[in-house]
Amino acid sequence: MSDVRDLLIRSSEKVISHYRLLLAGARTESERALYRSRIEREQRLLDVLQGGFPDRAAA
């Protein structure tokens, strides 16, 4: 089970990195908002996978 969790963690980290690259190149505020929301969602999932809890103050 740990192998699957490790794979999911690495995948989430890669997705976050990809969205950060897209965010850096975003041309409109709506694109930036979309990428930020996807990064936040993926980060919450990553926090759960890593056994942490989402930071409510950041939400």
Side-chain angles (χ1 to χ4, degrees):
M1 186 68 159
S2 179
D3 291 336
V4 171
R5 192 179 81 178
D6 290 343
L7 175 67
L8 291 172
I9 288 171
R10 286 192 308 274
S11 298
S12 287
E13 290 169 342
K14 188 172 183 176
V15 167
I16 290 169
S17 295
H18 180 72
Y19 279 130
R20 285 185 177 147
L21 287 173
L22 291 172
L23 177 60
R27 295 182 181 189
T28 66
E29 185 56 38
S30 62
E31 279 183 291
R32 287 188 284 276
L34 174 67
Y35 297 139
R36 282 187 200 111
S37 70
R38 290 183 179 180
I39 290 168
E40 290 170 5
R41 180 183 63 192
E42 196 66 34
Q43 186 63 55
R44 286 191 300 269
L45 294 171
L46 180 59
D47 290 343
V48 170
L49 285 169
Q50 291 176 332
F53 298 97
D55 184 13
R56 294 221 177 246

Coordinates of all heavy atoms in Angstrom, one line a residue:
M1 N 0.8 -1.2 0.0 CA 0.0 0.0 0.0 C 0.9 1.3 0.0 O 0.5 2.2 -0.6 CB -0.9 0.0 1.2 CG -1.9 1.1 1.2 SD -3.1 0.9 -0.1 CE -4.4 1.9 0.5
S2 N 2.0 1.2 0.7 CA 2.9 2.4 0.7 C 3.4 2.7 -0.7 O 3.6 3.9 -0.9 CB 4.1 2.1 1.7 OG 4.9 3.2 1.7
D3 N 3.7 1.7 -1.5 CA 4.1 2.0 -2.8 C 3.1 2.8 -3.6 O 3.5 3.7 -4.4 CB 4.5 0.7 -3.6 CG 5.7 0.0 -3.0 OD1 6.5 0.7 -2.4 OD2 5.8 -1.2 -3.2
V4 N 1.9 2.5 -3.5 CA 0.8 3.2 -4.2 C 0.7 4.6 -3.7 O 0.6 5.6 -4.4 CB -0.6 2.5 -4.0 CG1 -1.7 3.3 -4.6 CG2 -0.5 1.1 -4.7
R5 N 0.8 4.8 -2.4 CA 0.7 6.1 -1.8 C 1.9 6.9 -2.2 O 1.8 8.1 -2.6 CB 0.7 6.0 -0.3 CG 0.3 7.4 0.4 CD 0.3 7.3 1.8 NE 1.7 7.4 2.3 CZ 2.1 7.4 3.5 NH1 1.2 7.2 4.5 NH2 3.3 7.5 3.9
D6 N 3.1 6.4 -2.3 CA 4.3 7.1 -2.7 C 4.1 7.5 -4.2 O 4.5 8.6 -4.5 CB 5.5 6.2 -2.6 CG 6.0 6.0 -1.1 OD1 5.5 6.8 -0.2 OD2 6.7 5.1 -0.9
L7 N 3.6 6.7 -5.0 CA 3.3 7.0 -6.4 C 2.3 8.2 -6.5 O 2.5 9.1 -7.3 CB 2.8 5.8 -7.1 CG 2.4 6.0 -8.6 CD1 3.6 6.4 -9.4 CD2 1.7 4.8 -9.2
L8 N 1.3 8.1 -5.7 CA 0.3 9.2 -5.7 C 0.9 10.5 -5.2 O 0.6 11.6 -5.8 CB -0.9 8.8 -4.8 CG -1.8 7.7 -5.4 CD1 -2.8 7.3 -4.3 CD2 -2.5 8.1 -6.7
I9 N 1.8 10.5 -4.2 CA 2.4 11.6 -3.7 C 3.3 12.3 -4.8 O 3.2 13.5 -5.1 CB 3.2 11.3 -2.4 CG1 2.3 11.1 -1.3 CG2 4.2 12.5 -2.1 CD1 2.9 10.6 0.0
R10 N 4.1 11.4 -5.4 CA 5.0 11.9 -6.5 C 4.2 12.5 -7.7 O 4.5 13.5 -8.3 CB 5.9 10.8 -7.0 CG 7.1 10.5 -6.1 CD 8.1 9.6 -6.7 NE 7.6 8.4 -7.3 CZ 7.4 7.3 -6.7 NH1 7.6 7.2 -5.4 NH2 7.0 6.2 -7.4
S11 N 3.1 11.9 -8.0 CA 2.2 12.3 -9.1 C 1.6 13.7 -8.7 O 1.6 14.6 -9.6 CB 1.1 11.3 -9.3 OG 1.6 10.1 -9.8
S12 N 1.1 13.8 -7.5 CA 0.6 15.1 -7.1 C 1.6 16.2 -7.1 O 1.3 17.3 -7.5 CB 0.0 15.0 -5.6 OG -1.2 14.3 -5.7
E13 N 2.8 15.9 -6.7 CA 3.9 16.9 -6.7 C 4.2 17.3 -8.2 O 4.4 18.5 -8.4 CB 5.2 16.4 -6.1 CG 5.0 16.2 -4.6 CD 6.1 15.4 -3.9 OE1 6.9 14.7 -4.6 OE2 6.3 15.5 -2.7
K14 N 4.2 16.4 -9.1 CA 4.4 16.7 -10.5 C 3.3 17.5 -11.0 O 3.5 18.5 -11.8 CB 4.5 15.4 -11.3 CG 5.0 15.6 -12.7 CD 5.3 14.3 -13.4 CE 5.8 14.5 -14.8 NZ 6.2 13.3 -15.4
V15 N 2.0 17.2 -10.7 CA 0.9 18.0 -11.2 C 1.0 19.4 -10.7 O 0.8 20.4 -11.4 CB -0.4 17.3 -10.7 CG1 -1.6 18.3 -10.9 CG2 -0.7 16.0 -11.5
I16 N 1.4 19.6 -9.4 CA 1.5 20.9 -8.8 C 2.6 21.7 -9.6 O 2.4 22.9 -9.9 CB 1.8 20.9 -7.3 CG1 0.5 20.4 -6.6 CG2 2.3 22.2 -6.8 CD1 0.8 20.0 -5.1
S17 N 3.7 21.1 -9.8 CA 4.8 21.7 -10.6 C 4.3 22.1 -12.0 O 4.6 23.2 -12.4 CB 6.0 20.8 -10.7 OG 6.5 20.5 -9.5
H18 N 3.6 21.3 -12.6 CA 3.1 21.6 -14.0 C 2.1 22.8 -13.9 O 2.2 23.7 -14.7 CB 2.3 20.4 -14.5 CG 1.8 20.6 -15.9 ND1 2.6 20.7 -17.0 CD2 0.5 20.8 -16.3 CE1 1.8 20.9 -18.1 NE2 0.5 20.9 -17.7
Y19 N 1.2 22.8 -12.9 CA 0.3 24.0 -12.8 C 1.0 25.3 -12.5 O 0.7 26.3 -12.9 CB -0.8 23.7 -11.8 CG -1.9 22.9 -12.4 CD1 -2.4 21.8 -11.7 CD2 -2.6 23.2 -13.6 CE1 -3.4 21.0 -12.2 CE2 -3.6 22.4 -14.1 CZ -4.0 21.3 -13.4 OH -5.1 20.6 -13.9
R20 N 2.1 25.2 -11.7 CA 2.9 26.4 -11.4 C 3.6 26.9 -12.7 O 3.6 28.1 -12.9 CB 4.0 26.1 -10.4 CG 3.4 25.9 -9.0 CD 4.4 25.7 -7.9 NE 3.7 25.7 -6.6 CZ 4.2 25.0 -5.6 NH1 5.3 24.2 -5.7 NH2 3.5 25.0 -4.5
L21 N 4.0 26.0 -13.5 CA 4.6 26.5 -14.8 C 3.5 27.2 -15.7 O 3.7 28.2 -16.3 CB 5.2 25.3 -15.6 CG 6.5 24.8 -15.1 CD1 6.8 23.5 -15.9 CD2 7.6 25.8 -15.2
L22 N 2.3 26.6 -15.7 CA 1.2 27.2 -16.4 C 0.8 28.5 -15.8 O 0.5 29.5 -16.6 CB 0.0 26.2 -16.5 CG 0.2 24.9 -17.3 CD1 -1.0 24.0 -17.0 CD2 0.3 25.3 -18.7
L23 N 0.8 28.6 -14.5 CA 0.5 29.8 -13.8 C 1.5 30.9 -14.2 O 1.1 32.1 -14.5 CB 0.5 29.6 -12.3 CG 0.2 30.8 -11.4 CD1 -1.2 31.4 -11.7 CD2 0.3 30.4 -10.0
A24 N 2.7 30.6 -14.3 CA 3.8 31.6 -14.6 C 3.5 32.2 -16.0 O 3.9 33.3 -16.3 CB 5.1 31.0 -14.5
G25 N 3.0 31.4 -16.9 CA 2.8 31.8 -18.3 C 1.3 32.3 -18.6 O 1.0 32.6 -19.7
A26 N 0.5 32.3 -17.5 CA -0.9 32.7 -17.8 C -1.0 34.1 -18.2 O -0.3 35.0 -17.8 CB -1.7 32.5 -16.5
R27 N -1.9 34.4 -19.2 CA -2.0 35.7 -19.8 C -3.2 36.5 -19.2 O -3.2 37.7 -19.2 CB -2.2 35.6 -21.3 CG -1.0 35.0 -22.0 CD -1.2 34.9 -23.4 NE 0.0 34.3 -24.0 CZ 0.2 34.3 -25.3 NH1 -0.7 34.8 -26.1 NH2 1.3 33.7 -25.8
T28 N -4.2 35.8 -18.7 CA -5.3 36.5 -18.1 C -5.5 36.2 -16.7 O -5.0 35.2 -16.2 CB -6.6 36.2 -18.9 OG1 -6.9 34.8 -18.7 CG2 -6.5 36.4 -20.4
E29 N -6.3 37.1 -16.0 CA -6.6 36.8 -14.6 C -7.4 35.6 -14.4 O -7.3 34.8 -13.4 CB -7.3 38.0 -14.0 CG -7.5 37.9 -12.5 CD -6.2 37.6 -11.7 OE1 -5.2 38.2 -12.0 OE2 -6.3 36.8 -10.7
S30 N -8.3 35.3 -15.3 CA -9.1 34.1 -15.2 C -8.3 32.8 -15.3 O -8.5 31.8 -14.6 CB -10.2 34.1 -16.3 OG -9.7 34.0 -17.6
E31 N -7.2 32.8 -16.2 CA -6.3 31.7 -16.3 C -5.6 31.6 -14.9 O -5.4 30.4 -14.4 CB -5.3 31.9 -17.4 CG -5.7 31.6 -18.8 CD -4.6 31.7 -19.7 OE1 -4.2 32.9 -20.0 OE2 -4.1 30.7 -20.3
R32 N -5.1 32.7 -14.4 CA -4.3 32.6 -13.2 C -5.2 32.1 -12.0 O -4.8 31.3 -11.2 CB -3.8 34.0 -12.8 CG -2.6 34.4 -13.7 CD -1.9 35.7 -13.2 NE -2.7 36.9 -13.6 CZ -2.7 37.5 -14.7 NH1 -1.9 37.1 -15.7 NH2 -3.4 38.6 -15.0
A33 N -6.4 32.5 -12.0 CA -7.4 32.1 -10.9 C -7.6 30.6 -11.1 O -7.7 29.8 -10.1 CB -8.7 32.8 -11.0
L34 N -7.8 30.1 -12.3 CA -8.0 28.7 -12.6 C -6.8 27.8 -12.1 O -7.0 26.9 -11.3 CB -8.2 28.4 -14.0 CG -8.4 27.0 -14.5 CD1 -9.6 26.3 -13.9 CD2 -8.3 26.9 -16.0
Y35 N -5.6 28.3 -12.4 CA -4.4 27.5 -12.1 C -4.2 27.6 -10.5 O -3.8 26.6 -9.9 CB -3.2 28.0 -12.8 CG -3.3 27.8 -14.3 CD1 -2.9 28.7 -15.2 CD2 -3.9 26.6 -14.8 CE1 -3.0 28.5 -16.6 CE2 -4.0 26.4 -16.2 CZ -3.5 27.4 -17.1 OH -3.7 27.2 -18.4
R36 N -4.4 28.7 -9.9 CA -4.3 28.8 -8.5 C -5.3 27.9 -7.8 O -4.9 27.2 -6.8 CB -4.5 30.2 -8.0 CG -3.4 31.2 -8.2 CD -3.7 32.5 -7.6 NE -2.8 33.5 -8.2 CZ -3.2 34.5 -9.0 NH1 -4.5 34.7 -9.2 NH2 -2.4 35.3 -9.5
S37 N -6.5 27.8 -8.3 CA -7.5 26.9 -7.6 C -7.1 25.5 -7.8 O -7.3 24.6 -6.9 CB -8.9 27.2 -8.1 OG -9.0 26.7 -9.5
R38 N -6.6 25.1 -8.9 CA -6.1 23.7 -9.2 C -4.9 23.4 -8.3 O -4.8 22.3 -7.8 CB -5.9 23.5 -10.6 CG -7.2 23.5 -11.4 CD -7.0 23.2 -12.9 NE -8.3 23.2 -13.6 CZ -8.4 23.0 -14.8 NH1 -7.3 22.7 -15.6 NH2 -9.6 23.0 -15.4
I39 N -4.0 24.3 -8.2 CA -2.8 24.1 -7.3 C -3.3 23.9 -5.8 O -2.9 23.0 -5.2 CB -1.9 25.3 -7.4 CG1 -1.2 25.3 -8.7 CG2 -0.8 25.2 -6.2 CD1 -0.4 26.5 -9.1
E40 N -4.2 24.7 -5.4 CA -4.7 24.6 -4.0 C -5.4 23.3 -3.8 O -5.2 22.6 -2.8 CB -5.7 25.7 -3.7 CG -5.0 27.1 -3.6 CD -6.0 28.2 -3.5 OE1 -7.2 28.0 -3.5 OE2 -5.5 29.4 -3.5
R41 N -6.2 22.8 -4.8 CA -6.9 21.6 -4.7 C -5.9 20.4 -4.6 O -6.0 19.5 -3.8 CB -7.9 21.4 -5.9 CG -8.7 20.1 -5.8 CD -9.5 19.9 -7.0 NE -8.7 19.8 -8.2 CZ -9.1 19.9 -9.5 NH1 -10.4 20.1 -9.7 NH2 -8.3 19.8 -10.5
E42 N -5.0 20.4 -5.5 CA -4.0 19.4 -5.5 C -3.1 19.4 -4.3 O -2.8 18.3 -3.8 CB -3.1 19.5 -6.8 CG -2.3 18.3 -7.1 CD -3.2 17.1 -7.6 OE1 -4.2 17.3 -8.2 OE2 -2.8 15.9 -7.3
Q43 N -2.8 20.6 -3.7 CA -2.1 20.6 -2.5 C -2.8 20.1 -1.3 O -2.3 19.4 -0.5 CB -1.7 22.1 -2.2 CG -0.8 22.2 -1.0 CD 0.6 21.6 -1.2 OE1 1.3 21.8 -2.2 NE2 1.0 20.7 -0.3
R44 N -4.1 20.3 -1.3 CA -5.0 19.7 -0.2 C -4.9 18.2 -0.3 O -4.8 17.5 0.7 CB -6.4 20.2 -0.3 CG -6.6 21.6 0.2 CD -8.0 22.0 0.4 NE -8.8 21.9 -0.9 CZ -9.0 22.9 -1.7 NH1 -8.4 24.0 -1.5 NH2 -9.7 22.7 -2.8
L45 N -5.0 17.6 -1.5 CA -5.0 16.2 -1.7 C -3.6 15.6 -1.3 O -3.5 14.6 -0.6 CB -5.2 15.8 -3.2 CG -6.6 16.1 -3.7 CD1 -6.7 15.9 -5.2 CD2 -7.7 15.2 -3.0
L46 N -2.6 16.4 -1.6 CA -1.2 16.0 -1.3 C -1.0 16.0 0.2 O -0.4 15.1 0.8 CB -0.2 16.9 -1.9 CG 1.3 16.6 -1.7 CD1 1.7 15.2 -2.1 CD2 2.1 17.7 -2.4
D47 N -1.6 17.0 0.9 CA -1.5 17.1 2.4 C -2.1 15.8 3.0 O -1.6 15.3 4.0 CB -2.1 18.3 2.9 CG -1.4 19.6 2.6 OD1 -0.2 19.5 2.2 OD2 -2.0 20.7 2.6
V48 N -3.3 15.4 2.5 CA -3.9 14.2 3.0 C -3.1 13.0 2.8 O -3.0 12.2 3.7 CB -5.4 14.1 2.4 CG1 -6.0 12.8 2.7 CG2 -6.2 15.3 2.8
L49 N -2.6 12.9 1.6 CA -1.7 11.7 1.3 C -0.5 11.6 2.2 O -0.1 10.5 2.6 CB -1.3 11.7 -0.2 CG -2.3 11.4 -1.2 CD1 -1.8 11.8 -2.6 CD2 -2.7 9.9 -1.2
Q50 N 0.0 12.8 2.5 CA 1.2 12.8 3.4 C 0.9 12.7 4.9 O 1.8 12.7 5.7 CB 2.0 14.1 3.1 CG 2.7 14.1 1.7 CD 3.4 15.4 1.4 OE1 3.0 16.4 1.9 NE2 4.4 15.3 0.5
G51 N -0.4 12.6 5.2 CA -0.8 12.4 6.6 C -1.0 13.7 7.3 O -1.2 13.7 8.5
G52 N -0.9 14.8 6.6 CA -1.1 16.1 7.3 C -2.5 16.6 7.1 O -3.4 15.8 6.6
F53 N -2.8 17.7 7.6 CA -4.1 18.3 7.5 C -4.0 19.6 6.7 O -3.0 20.4 6.9 CB -4.7 18.6 8.9 CG -4.9 17.3 9.6 CD1 -3.9 16.9 10.6 CD2 -6.0 16.5 9.4 CE1 -4.1 15.7 11.3 CE2 -6.2 15.3 10.1 CZ -5.2 14.9 11.0
P54 N -5.0 19.9 5.9 CA -4.9 21.2 5.2 C -4.9 22.4 6.1 O -5.5 22.3 7.2 CB -6.2 21.2 4.3 CG -6.8 19.8 4.4 CD -6.1 19.1 5.6
D55 N -4.2 23.4 5.7 CA -4.1 24.6 6.5 C -5.4 25.4 6.3 O -5.5 26.0 5.2 CB -2.8 25.4 6.2 CG -2.6 26.6 7.0 OD1 -3.4 26.7 8.1 OD2 -1.8 27.4 6.7
R56 N -6.2 25.5 7.2 CA -7.5 26.2 7.1 C -7.3 27.7 6.9 O -8.1 28.4 6.3 CB -8.4 25.9 8.2 CG -8.9 24.5 8.3 CD -10.3 24.5 8.7 NE -10.8 23.1 8.6 CZ -11.7 22.6 7.8 NH1 -12.2 23.4 6.9 NH2 -12.0 21.4 7.8
A57 N -6.2 28.2 7.5 CA -6.0 29.7 7.4 C -5.6 30.1 6.0 O -5.9 31.2 5.5 CB -4.8 30.1 8.3
A58 N -5.1 29.1 5.2 CA -4.7 29.4 3.8 C -5.9 29.3 2.9 O -5.8 29.8 1.7 CB -3.6 28.5 3.3
A59 N -7.0 28.7 3.3 CA -8.1 28.5 2.4 C -9.0 29.7 2.2 O -8.9 30.7 2.8 CB -9.0 27.4 3.0

